[in-house]
Amino acid sequence: MTVSSEAYLAVVTETIGRVAADQRENVARAADLIAASLRADGVVHAFGTGHSEALAMEIAGRAGGLVPTNRIALRDLVLHGGEPADVLDPKLEREPAVAHRLYDLAPVRPQDVFVLASNSGVNGAMVEFAAILKERGHGLVAITSVQHSARMTSRHPSGRKLADFADVVLDNGAPYGDATLPLPDGGAVGAVSSITAALLAQQIVAEVVARLLAAGERPPVYLSANITGGDEHNAELEARYAGRIRRGS
């Protein structure tokens, strides 16, 4: 396989089509779980570390997305927990104890639902966070690479992985190592997990909105802040969830 933008486009196009087809039923199941939470006055919390944080940003606080959404990030330890900035070591995501602090800092209620993203699904903080969620009775949607995770050893003391705790597992279709175009001397370029995770996130939102519309309900959806009336529309909806959703961090 050659290394070029055209080759990468071909791989991405094939992967998107495969993920869309293979994950159709799981997307519907995730949408059912989230719609039920919203009808119970719940909020959707999204959490990812590293490049998987992009998935959380796709879910929470963007134009065309659901308003009752909150993004959880490792830097919450600094922004909301008073920890020094140097706590944010690149390997922090491997520490299980971090999950308890993050959960305690989040504005969580019992009816809330969670979407967690981790390509490998094995890092300690993510697995521990998932375990906490199931102990507390929250619904959990996991977005991960089934292929990559299957080839990894868990970094959590239990030996379990993110997918082991999820009510719904969505496979992002990424290969082991994420990158798709092999190089002559080893390694590869052209990662796909961020693209397919964004696809799955937007599909879930669309299906949640479809369910609310079918029930005759008005979906609480953001307008772009950069169009006329966007700020006013968004502020009115956000006021319903005051203290439960964070923006700007």
Side-chain angles (χ1 to χ4, degrees):
M1 182 182 295
T2 60
V3 176
S4 67
S5 60
E6 290 81 6
Y8 178 66
L9 177 60
V11 170
V12 168
T13 302
E14 184 278 329
T15 305
I16 286 175
R18 173 165 43 85
V19 169
D22 292 348
Q23 300 305 305
R24 183 175 291 111
E25 291 185 6
N26 289 334
V27 166
R29 291 176 58 213
D32 288 339
L33 193 66
I34 291 171
S37 174
L38 297 185
R39 290 194 175 104
D41 192 35
V43 163
V44 184
H45 299 272
F47 176 40
T49 63
H51 283 90
S52 291
E53 189 175 347
L55 180 280
M57 297 176 71
E58 202 71 27
I59 292 284
R62 67 162 302 157
L66 296 165
V67 173
T69 51
N70 180 60
R71 176 160 49 98
I72 296 172
L74 290 175
R75 61 182 169 276
D76 290 352
L77 299 172
V78 177
L79 295 173
H80 305 293
E83 299 286 345
D86 60 9
V87 74
L88 299 177
D89 182 275
K91 292 185 179 181
L92 185 62
E93 66 180 0
R94 299 183 181 183
E95 298 297 329
V98 170
H100 294 267
R101 183 71 170 138
L102 288 174
Y103 183 88
D104 291 342
L105 288 170
V108 177
R109 294 188 182 180
Q111 67 269 40
D112 292 349
V113 66
F114 287 74
V115 179
L116 303 189
S118 171
N119 194 58
S120 69
V122 301
N123 282 317
M126 187 63 65
V127 177
E128 184 72 8
F129 201 95
I132 293 168
L133 297 181
K134 299 321 298 175
E135 289 172 2
R136 304 295 177 88
H138 296 288
L140 171 57
V141 176
I143 300 180
T144 189
S145 167
V146 170
Q147 182 183 132
H148 187 117
S149 190
R151 293 180 60 178
M152 292 290 291
T153 299
S154 175
R155 291 179 174 138
H156 189 269
S158 70
R160 302 179 74 181
K161 302 176 183 180
L162 170 60
D164 295 331
F165 294 95
D167 297 291
V168 182
V169 177
L170 290 164
D171 183 5
N172 66 25
Y176 178 70
D178 202 356
T180 57
L181 302 178
L183 300 175
D185 297 323
V189 296
V192 297
S193 64
S194 295
I195 293 174
T196 52
L199 168 70
L200 290 167
Q202 292 297 335
Q203 287 186 302
I204 291 169
V205 170
E207 287 295 319
V208 170
V209 169
R211 282 154 175 71
L212 298 180
L213 289 172
E217 303 169 37
R218 180 191 176 196
V221 172
Y222 276 110
L223 294 178
S224 170
N226 297 309
I227 66 172
T228 302
D231 284 342
E232 293 78 10
H233 169 90
N234 296 340
E236 177 187 348
L237 290 175
E238 286 182 340
R240 303 179 189 176
Y241 303 95
R244 302 180 64 195
I245 59 177
R246 294 169 176 162
R247 298 292 178 258
S249 63

